[in-house]
Amino acid sequence: MMFNRNAFDNSRPDGMPVLEVYEKDEKEPGPRRFVPLVRSDLSGEVLGSLASLKLVQVFRYSREQMGTDLNLSPFEAAYRFPLPGDAAIRGVTVRFGEVEIEAVLREREQAEEEYREAKEKGQQAALLSRESPNVFTLLVAGLQPGEETTVTTQFVQLARADGSGWSLRIPLTTAPRYVRSDELDSRAAQGQPLALLRDPGHRFSLDLQFPAMTSVQSDTHALALSIEENGVRVQLEGGEVLPDRDCLLSWQPPQEKARPNLQAFLQTDPSDPFSYFLAFVVPPADSIERAPVPREVILLVDHSGSMEGPKWEAADWAASKFLAGLTPMDCFALGLFHNTTAWLDAKPLPATEFQVKEAVRFLQTHRDSGGTELGVALEQALSLPRDEVQRSRHVLLITDAEVSDNARILRLAEEEGKRADRRRISVLTIDAAPNAYLAQELAEKGGGIARFLTSNPEEEDIATALDEVLADWSRPLYADVTLALDRPGLETAGRVAHNEKSESWVDLGDLPAGRTLALSGRFPQGHGPLRLVLRAGREELARMELVEQTGAHSHPALPALFGARRVLALENLAGSGLPPEELADQLSRLGY
């Protein structure tokens, strides 16, 4: 499995698993029967924003619970369970008493055939399939009365950015999903909960380790925290609870008073030629003393035909919201594009109160529409004159990115990246099915970030969601932040690595006051400690050393994180429609 690129910022992961008995007589089905879920235990480790979790769920039934009219020979049941949309499954095992079955990856048709054959032979068997990005179904055959069935799911999940910290939602509840009439036969439509059940006997427990953290909070559950040698251990107060609501956890990494804090974790396995790492750059706690870097922001807002309706309104709202946050020390330009691009002015303007009001008026009065000449608009934006002031320079695209000229647009970003006074390119895509490949590649090559947001107001309060997204473009404390490693051959997930003979470095962009930067990657195993140096321009901000070692200090989730991101990048390329030579170039960048 892999991380889901369609985990929108205002999506709501939900769900509670249910094990439903499959009746053999489908022509005359009796009442629906369910094997009770006795308990759910979640354990694991959370490294910064990466959670490596193990969910153990125990089902048990007796002859008395099932009733006398049910054939109590071994039978089949379906287990439908949710995982957050950005979770990547590492493994699933099913234990029937003393028999344990471990899931292996197969093509869907082959897996279904092997499961059917095992079931017909009377063997105990299990089949796991994905119905939609965050709903899975597990079929188990061979259940026995009075015998516990234990399902263990191991997965990794990325926590959601929450200011300069993170938050993690653990789904414990269930909710049905609306399905349009024209999608009734789709696989995603099969991702409905099997039943809405609230078993009063079901209990949930939590046991998580947070290395290098000192505190974890929850707005939904009372926690019991214990400080240990390498961080904090989090459990539920009282040990267990009735899972009648989702569990929400939030935490803040340690901050230094006046300088950024660099944290990193390393995983080394003798059987793997690579070492894997995860690094975080945490902004200083006291950012008032440091004067923020002036910004130059060029806003490009998509007014093409594909944006008409809720997407158009959401894009204009986002642009107005961002303009309102500028100060007179900043400057900005505003362009509205479809077949042509209309500019507020031919050069960036000081963000005075008058100019911002004029920009909002310009945005609201231009209602013409047409095609989507995104490439032309971006080329014009990058060609606007630049002043002599030392600024953090950005182009922010607000679009659905529904264009096909990917190659030309990405070349513009690559050429811009070679300039000393480069403008970073970030993308806010507003669509339920965006051009994710283009948005992510454009942000990576452009040295910016990509965020995805559905325009459906029924998903969640869109104003709240946009507030969180736009916080990523808040005023930076440091511009042009880089992280260097004294190892060659660096490969990263989601960013461009620059390799030299004896070291590698990655451009992290700007460090805002309220957001932690993260970087994951791998490099060939070396000798001696790994040295990391954090810089902003030529100023050294922090440095640290890590020893490549195995054992108690290993973090096996790090290769899973890198692998999931790598598979996602390959999936994006598979659907990109790039010509062969450009596809070969992209594969080369991924190490193939």
Side-chain angles (χ1 to χ4, degrees):
M1 298 300 172
M2 67 196 70
F3 289 108
N4 172 30
R5 66 173 180 268
N6 290 329
F8 298 108
D9 286 280
N10 59 350
S11 63
R12 303 181 64 142
D14 298 296
M16 185 188 78
V18 185
L19 192 62
E20 180 178 10
V21 176
Y22 272 17
E23 302 282 3
K24 292 184 177 180
D25 188 357
E26 297 181 357
K27 295 182 179 179
E28 297 183 9
R32 298 177 72 185
R33 303 177 188 271
F34 300 90
V35 178
L37 175 58
V38 179
R39 63 178 301 105
S40 300
D41 303 307
L42 185 72
S43 60
E45 179 184 65
V46 182
L47 298 175
S49 63
L50 176 63
S52 177
L53 305 175
K54 181 172 73 173
L55 180 63
V56 179
Q57 294 178 307
V58 180
F59 299 84
R60 186 191 308 118
Y61 77 101
S62 65
R63 294 177 182 271
E64 292 76 16
Q65 286 174 309
M66 284 298 164
T68 58
D69 59 329
L70 180 70
N71 183 355
L72 288 174
S73 60
F75 60 83
E76 180 184 20
Y79 167 61
R80 183 158 294 159
F81 63 102
L83 287 178
D86 59 353
I89 292 181
R90 296 178 60 203
V92 176
T93 59
V94 182
R95 175 177 287 276
F96 306 84
E98 298 301 318
V99 177
E100 184 173 273
I101 298 175
E102 183 174 351
V104 294
L105 188 64
R106 292 280 192 272
E107 291 188 7
R108 184 182 293 271
E109 290 184 1
Q110 179 186 354
E112 291 174 347
E113 177 63 22
E114 290 180 4
Y115 173 77
R116 183 186 62 78
E117 291 178 356
K119 183 178 65 172
E120 291 178 351
K121 293 178 181 178
Q123 298 175 337
Q124 291 175 315
L127 173 68
L128 174 70
S129 58
R130 188 178 78 162
E131 310 299 348
S132 62
N134 60 349
V135 178
F136 297 80
T137 296
L138 183 70
L139 297 178
V140 289
L143 292 169
Q144 302 271 9
E147 181 179 78
E148 282 192 349
T149 300
T150 302
V151 180
T152 301
T153 306
Q154 298 188 60
F155 60 98
V156 289
Q157 178 186 349
L158 290 173
R160 179 175 177 174
D162 189 357
S164 56
W166 296 281
S167 64
L168 182 68
R169 180 180 292 274
I170 300 167
L172 301 176
T173 57
T174 189
R177 284 84 186 268
Y178 173 77
V179 180
R180 298 201 317 257
S181 58
D182 60 339
E183 293 180 330
L184 292 175
D185 296 329
S186 69
R187 179 161 294 277
Q190 310 310 311
Q192 296 285 357
L194 293 175
L196 301 181
L197 297 181
R198 295 290 182 270
D199 186 343
H202 178 204
R203 291 295 180 267
F204 169 73
S205 72
L206 184 72
D207 191 355
L208 298 178
Q209 298 285 343
F210 286 75
M213 301 298 166
T214 57
S215 180
V216 179
Q217 297 82 36
S218 175
D219 293 334
T220 58
H221 291 77
L223 302 179
L225 306 183
S226 54
I227 304 300
E228 300 186 348
E229 181 181 356
N230 67 334
V232 61
R233 182 181 183 184
V234 177
Q235 296 173 299
L236 294 176
E237 190 175 274
E240 58 185 25
V241 297
L242 174 68
D244 57 356
R245 72 197 70 179
D246 290 358
C247 180
L248 181 64
L249 302 175
S250 60
W251 60 98
Q252 172 71 46
Q255 292 179 286
E256 295 187 14
K257 179 177 175 58
R259 298 180 70 81
N261 182 23
L262 174 63
Q263 293 184 348
F265 303 94
L266 191 63
Q267 161 69 8
T268 301
D269 186 334
S271 64
D272 193 325
F274 292 95
S275 289
Y276 298 81
F277 74 95
L278 181 63
F280 301 100
V281 181
V282 187
D286 190 357
S287 59
I288 299 176
E289 296 179 1
R290 181 176 179 86
V293 179
R295 292 175 293 178
E296 176 211 72
V297 182
I298 301 173
L299 279 173
L300 277 176
V301 183
D302 190 344
H303 274 189
S304 63
S306 64
M307 291 287 291
E308 289 182 354
K311 289 194 291 183
W312 185 309
E313 299 305 320
D316 282 7
W317 190 95
S320 300
K321 181 77 173 178
F322 187 82
L323 288 168
L326 298 175
T327 70
M329 69 182 298
D330 302 320
C331 66
F332 75 98
L334 174 61
L336 312 177
F337 69 93
H338 44 84
N339 292 103
T340 59
T341 306
W343 289 96
L344 175 67
D345 199 277
K347 63 181 183 302
L349 302 170
T352 62
E353 183 179 355
F354 172 78
Q355 295 291 8
V356 168
K357 287 182 178 179
E358 286 295 298
V360 173
R361 184 188 62 79
F362 179 82
L363 185 68
Q364 294 173 345
T365 56
H366 281 70
R367 311 302 292 177
D368 53 310
S369 185
T372 313
E373 294 291 346
L374 190 155
V376 174
L378 180 59
E379 185 173 21
Q380 292 179 12
L382 297 175
S383 300
L384 292 180
R386 307 165 204 236
D387 59 24
E388 300 298 324
V389 179
Q390 185 67 31
R391 297 184 183 275
S392 168
R393 302 182 188 274
H394 291 265
V395 175
L396 173 54
L397 277 163
I398 305 178
T399 178
D400 57 7
E402 297 296 356
V403 295
S404 60
D405 56 339
N406 295 349
R408 175 192 179 188
I409 294 170
L410 296 178
R411 277 197 297 271
L412 288 172
E414 287 180 334
E415 291 301 316
E416 179 67 17
K418 299 175 184 178
R419 295 181 59 120
D421 56 351
R422 70 180 296 186
R423 287 172 169 140
R424 300 183 182 279
I425 303 171
S426 295
V427 188
L428 173 59
T429 60
I430 302 180
D431 196 5
N435 186 342
Y437 166 78
L438 176 60
Q440 291 167 336
E441 282 292 309
L442 183 56
E444 181 178 338
K445 291 178 181 294
I449 56 178
R451 291 291 183 270
F452 301 92
L453 184 70
T454 174
S455 59
N456 184 359
E458 295 181 0
E459 294 287 338
E460 193 176 329
D461 178 14
I462 195 169
T464 301
L466 281 172
D467 276 341
E468 296 174 359
V469 172
L470 294 177
D472 283 330
W473 285 278
S474 61
R475 185 183 307 281
L477 298 176
Y478 297 89
D480 301 321
V481 177
T482 60
L483 181 64
L485 293 74
D486 65 341
R487 295 285 195 278
L490 174 66
E491 300 175 47
T492 60
R495 294 184 184 270
V496 177
H498 304 269
N499 284 285
E500 300 174 1
K501 289 184 178 180
S502 59
E503 73 168 18
S504 306
W505 61 276
V506 179
D507 182 352
L508 298 180
D510 296 345
L511 178 63
R515 180 169 58 89
T516 295
L517 303 179
L519 175 68
S520 63
R522 71 179 186 183
F523 52 85
Q525 290 190 22
H527 302 282
L530 170 69
R531 296 179 179 86
L532 301 94
V533 180
L534 182 71
R535 298 186 178 93
R538 296 183 178 180
E539 178 186 1
E540 182 174 313
L541 303 178
R543 66 167 56 220
M544 68 180 302
E545 290 188 352
L546 293 172
V547 178
E548 294 182 65
Q549 60 182 353
T550 58
H553 298 285
S554 65
H555 304 289
L558 298 186
L561 169 64
F562 183 86
R565 298 293 295 272
R566 174 59 59 86
V567 171
L568 179 57
L570 290 172
E571 185 185 56
N572 287 335
L573 284 177
S576 66
L578 291 176
E581 63 276 7
E582 294 192 25
L583 184 61
D585 176 65
Q586 294 295 324
L587 289 171
S588 176
R589 288 182 52 235
L590 291 175
Y592 295 97

